[in-house]
């Protein structure tokens, strides 16, 4: 009997216990057992639970739900393929499990309803006949999943390219802010250094950690986020880490070690108060800990400060015996970034040239002299010759 055979296969899933053990599959097993036993009332209840759960999560049928689970949740088999290892027993188990999932996805909901109506009272049969159907079909098979795993891996990192690290968890960012090349103007030399370092990371080399420091509005953060939009950087993953989460950074790095992807841990607007000892944790991660940083992970940070730990004049004229050593400790954090790239305000000529290029890209038709005169006037009232100020000036011309 089809229902009984499928129930046995589901009970014997071994390589994908992460899927078989979910509440959804437990309900599906209740449905199959009830169909075999002729318990129409229990089967009807399980049927409606499955339909509700599928549509609550936005899935038209079991096939679409299973496809996402198979691609985007970690399991021993896809992890093995990602590493490039082999295990004949695990491969055979995975092939059998996937065949079971294909059969579940192909199960005709209309046939299930027909079976239920045959085992309930005529009154209930009328209600069951009116129940909605879920979509039938499997958008995957064993060969397709094998190719997906080899090309993309599995789990969260196959689902998204940008993440937030919060409270010890990775949260995918579905639509990350990744400016394209044409949106970036100015600081080409600085950007090329960042891109070149990232190419080395993707090539599997042990590269430098990077500190982008300088004036606000110069495009430091944009430079890092832009890396995800470079076509050949498909294996790059960007994880934003808030300063408050730095204490958990070693746990995150251990999680990333050995993965096929390359990871940038992005710390934006980094600075520490003089009494904040969190910077010691970051120093250890950057260089100096017993556990080495893996080659597939690099730290990129941005800051408005060259020295990341704030100091006061009292630090330098205090009564501490080894005051110079304390000062050196506070200034040494930035030195642990092997690549330190300054983003400084533009001079007047560079600022005017940038506004001309932005005006051209924005399709603004204006006499060059008039544009420059307006830009100079804007500069007088908006201190800081940066791309941000230039963009604000261009925006003012469109009002």
């Amino acid at each position: 009997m089809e229902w009984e055979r499928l129930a046995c296969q589901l009970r014997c899933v071994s390589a994908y216990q992460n899927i078989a053990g979910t509440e959804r599959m437990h309900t599906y097993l209740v449905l199959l057992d009830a169909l075999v036993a002729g318990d129409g009332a229990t089967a009807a209840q399980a049927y409606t639970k499955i339909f509700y759960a599928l549509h609550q999560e936005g899935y038209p049928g079991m096939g679409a739900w299973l496809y996402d689970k198979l691609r985007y949740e970690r399991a021993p088999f896809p992890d093995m393929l990602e590493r490039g290892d082999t295990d004949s027993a695990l491969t055979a188990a995975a092939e059998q499990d996937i065949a079971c999932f294909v059969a579940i996805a192909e199960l005709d909901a209309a046939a299930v309803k027909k079976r239920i109506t045959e085992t309930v009272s005529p009154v209930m049969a009328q209600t069951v006949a009116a129940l909605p159907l879920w979509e039938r079909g499997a958008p995957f098979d064993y060969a397709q999943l094998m190719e997906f795993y080899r090309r993309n891996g599995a789990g969260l990192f196959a689902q998204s390219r940008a993440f937030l690290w919060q409270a010890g968890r990775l949260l995918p960012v579905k639509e990350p802010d990744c400016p394209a090349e044409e949106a970036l103007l100015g600081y080409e030399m600085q950007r090329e250094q960042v891109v070149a370092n990232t190419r080395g990371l993707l090539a599997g080399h042990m590269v430098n950690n990077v500190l982008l420091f300088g004036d606000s509005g110069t495009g430091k953060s944009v430079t890092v986020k832009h890396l995800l939009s470079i076509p050949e950087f498909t294996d790059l993953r960007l994880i934003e880490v808030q300063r408050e989460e730095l204490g958990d950074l070693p746990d995150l790095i251990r999680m990333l070690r050995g993965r096929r992807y390359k990871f940038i841990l992005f710390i934006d607007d980094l600075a520490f108060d003089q009494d904040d000892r969190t910077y010691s944790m970051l120093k250890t991660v950057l260089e100096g800990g017993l556990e080495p940083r893996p080659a597939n992970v690099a730290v990129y940070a941005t800051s408005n400060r060259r020295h990341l730990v704030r100091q006061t004049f009292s630090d330098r004229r205090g009564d501490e015996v080894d005051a110079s050593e304390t000062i050196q400790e506070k200034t040494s954090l930035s030195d642990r970034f092997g690549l330190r790239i300054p983003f400084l305000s533009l001079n007047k000529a560079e600022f005017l040239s940038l506004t001309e290029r932005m005006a051209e890209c924005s399709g603004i038709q204006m006499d060059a002299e008039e544009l420059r005169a307006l830009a100079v006037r804007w500069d007088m009232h908006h201190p800081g010759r940066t791309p941000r100020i230039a963009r604000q000036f261009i925006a003012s011309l469109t009002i």
Side-chain angles (χ1 to χ4, degrees):
M1 185 183 294
E2 179 184 9
W3 322 113
E4 186 174 6
R5 182 173 62 253
L6 193 51
C8 290
Q9 290 176 341
L10 183 53
R11 281 191 168 89
C12 292
V13 166
S14 54
Y16 286 97
Q17 273 290 308
N18 60 308
I19 298 177
T22 61
E23 183 178 355
R24 180 77 44 82
M25 298 311 291
H26 173 73
T27 305
Y28 206 92
L29 192 55
V30 170
L31 171 64
L32 294 173
D33 287 343
L35 292 173
V36 172
D39 184 353
T42 300
Q45 187 175 36
Y47 181 98
T48 56
K49 283 184 178 180
I50 293 170
F51 178 87
Y52 175 81
L54 286 173
H55 286 269
Q56 184 182 38
E57 297 178 27
Y59 293 104
M62 288 297 296
W65 180 80
L66 284 165
Y67 194 28
D68 272 3
K69 290 291 181 182
L70 287 164
R71 288 181 298 172
Y72 300 140
E73 287 197 1
R74 294 191 66 179
F77 180 63
D79 284 353
M80 179 194 73
L81 292 181
E82 182 183 329
R83 294 191 305 268
D85 297 339
T86 58
D87 184 323
S88 58
L90 181 58
T91 299
E95 188 169 7
Q96 179 172 304
D97 291 353
I98 292 170
C100 170
F101 295 143
V102 169
I104 288 173
E106 293 287 357
L107 195 62
D108 187 1
V112 173
K113 283 174 49 179
K114 183 174 183 297
R115 170 64 175 166
I116 295 174
T117 59
E118 294 170 351
T119 58
V120 295
S121 67
V123 173
M124 188 172 183
Q126 292 180 351
T127 302
V128 171
L131 290 176
L133 301 174
W134 62 70
E135 188 176 280
R136 176 187 183 185
F140 60 89
D141 58 25
Y142 175 75
Q144 290 172 331
L145 286 170
M146 287 275 287
E147 178 60 26
F148 179 88
Y149 293 149
R150 290 197 177 103
R151 188 176 65 251
N152 303 292
L156 283 176
F157 300 125
Q159 182 179 9
S160 182
R161 299 186 62 203
F163 301 85
L164 300 176
W165 176 249
Q166 291 183 357
R169 296 177 55 213
L170 282 171
L171 305 179
V173 179
K174 293 185 178 181
E175 298 181 2
D177 179 18
C178 304
E181 182 69 33
E182 55 271 16
L184 304 177
L185 294 173
Y187 301 94
E188 285 81 4
M189 185 181 301
Q190 288 91 331
R191 297 190 205 283
E192 182 51 42
Q193 291 182 71
V194 177
V195 171
N197 194 75
T198 309
R199 289 189 194 279
L201 175 67
L202 289 164
H205 305 312
M206 180 63 79
V207 299
N208 282 312
N209 297 308
V210 181
L211 174 63
L212 298 80
F213 69 93
D215 298 313
S216 177
T218 50
K220 302 182 294 296
S221 302
V222 170
T223 297
V224 178
K225 292 186 289 186
H226 160 66
L227 295 170
L228 288 182
S229 68
I230 298 178
E232 60 268 34
F233 286 8
T234 53
D235 276 349
L236 181 66
R237 298 294 181 267
L238 187 64
I239 302 175
E240 184 171 356
V241 181
Q242 301 294 328
R243 186 178 62 81
E244 296 77 13
E245 307 289 340
L246 292 179
D248 295 330
L249 211 53
D251 294 334
L252 173 59
I253 292 175
R254 293 186 195 104
M255 184 189 303
L256 305 178
R257 185 185 300 275
R259 303 299 299 253
R260 57 162 293 202
Y261 299 105
K262 314 303 178 186
F263 300 93
I264 290 176
L265 307 186
F266 176 40
I267 310 171
D268 198 19
D269 198 19
L270 182 62
F272 297 96
D273 292 326
Q274 58 181 348
D275 296 327
D276 188 344
R277 305 302 296 178
T278 311
Y279 71 87
S280 297
M281 177 63 71
L282 182 56
K283 284 174 63 176
T284 301
V285 168
L286 293 173
E287 181 184 340
L290 183 61
E291 189 174 14
R293 172 173 60 91
N296 67 329
V297 177
V299 178
Y300 285 21
T302 69
S303 180
N304 295 339
R305 304 173 59 89
R306 168 64 177 83
H307 295 300
L308 301 174
V309 183
R310 295 186 178 94
Q311 297 183 64
T312 64
F313 284 112
S314 62
D315 291 335
R316 296 183 175 270
R317 60 172 182 261
D319 58 0
E320 185 178 349
V321 175
D322 296 319
S324 61
E325 293 184 4
T326 301
I327 293 170
Q328 184 180 10
E329 179 191 4
K330 291 182 176 181
T331 58
S332 66
L333 177 57
S334 60
D335 294 337
R336 299 206 176 197
F337 289 90
L339 188 58
R340 299 179 292 278
I341 305 174
F343 281 69
L344 306 178
S345 292
L346 306 169
N347 60 38
K348 183 177 180 180
E350 291 170 334
F351 179 74
L352 293 176
S353 175
L354 180 61
T355 58
E356 289 176 352
R357 292 165 61 189
M358 285 186 175
E360 182 180 352
C361 292
S362 300
I364 294 175
Q365 302 293 327
M366 183 179 293
D367 178 75
E369 289 301 320
E370 181 183 0
L371 178 66
R372 292 169 72 90
L374 291 173
V376 169
R377 188 182 307 168
W378 184 270
D379 177 37
M380 293 173 60
H381 294 89
H382 299 79
R385 298 180 182 131
T386 67
R388 179 184 295 164
I389 297 298
R391 283 194 297 271
Q392 291 171 353
F393 166 64
I394 296 300
S396 72
L397 299 178
T398 62
I399 298 176

